[in-house]
Amino acid sequence: MKRVLAAVLLGFGLTTGAVMANVEDEIRSRIAPVGDVCVQGEDCGQEAAPAASASSEPRSGNEVYDAACAACHASGAAGAPIVGDSDAWGGRIDKGLETLVSHAINGFNAMPAKGGCSSCSDEEIEVAVEYMVEQSE
């Protein structure tokens, strides 16, 4: 009887061990990393993404306006003067282009610095202000 019981337990143990090994393999495959991180300066092989080429030319005033300024200056959000409304822009234009550009770059009242366009250069902000002024005179 002891031998039969030992044989049964041995068989159960071998089966359990095989099942557990299979479960462990399944767990390892589920928690395996799905990708690798490549840090600039490291050799990443062929899998590295190509570097984005930045344009050396600044965007036009119209392009910057459409990309960043129109969000507020087309609707008047947060008290922004609507482009084309000469009454709303008249007093601002009288302060001079230099003041308007300074306000646009540094922020003024509810407008954040650069109108929230962190990717815009000072030159792009300046041409966008010039564009808005031309449209609003």
Side-chain angles (χ1 to χ4, degrees), residues 4 26 28 85 111:
V4 171
E26 289 176 13
R28 282 190 187 93
D85 183 351
M111 184 177 71

Side-chain angles (χ1 to χ4, degrees), residues 86-109:
S86 58
D87 291 335
W89 280 89
R92 292 170 171 89
I93 293 171
D94 290 342
K95 292 179 182 179
L97 189 61
E98 187 176 313
T99 300
L100 289 175
V101 170
S102 174
H103 287 171
I105 291 172
N106 300 311
F108 186 74
N109 292 334

Side-chain angles (χ1 to χ4, degrees), residues 11-24:
F12 180 74
L14 292 175
T15 304
T16 303
V19 169
M20 288 305 293
N22 200 18
V23 169
E24 287 178 12

Side-chain angles (χ1 to χ4, degrees), residues 43-125:
D43 181 21
C44 300
Q46 297 296 329
E47 297 179 17
S53 60
S55 171
S56 61
E57 297 288 323
R59 294 176 285 180
S60 70
N62 186 28
E63 290 173 318
V64 175
Y65 171 78
D66 288 342
C69 309
C72 296
H73 287 283
S75 66
I82 296 175
V83 171
D85 183 351
S86 58
D87 291 335
W89 280 89
R92 292 170 171 89
I93 293 171
D94 290 342
K95 292 179 182 179
L97 189 61
E98 187 176 313
T99 300
L100 289 175
V101 170
S102 174
H103 287 171
I105 291 172
N106 300 311
F108 186 74
N109 292 334
M111 184 177 71
K114 295 187 176 186
C117 181
S118 61
S119 66
C120 293
S121 68
D122 289 356
E123 183 181 354
E124 289 176 326
I125 296 296

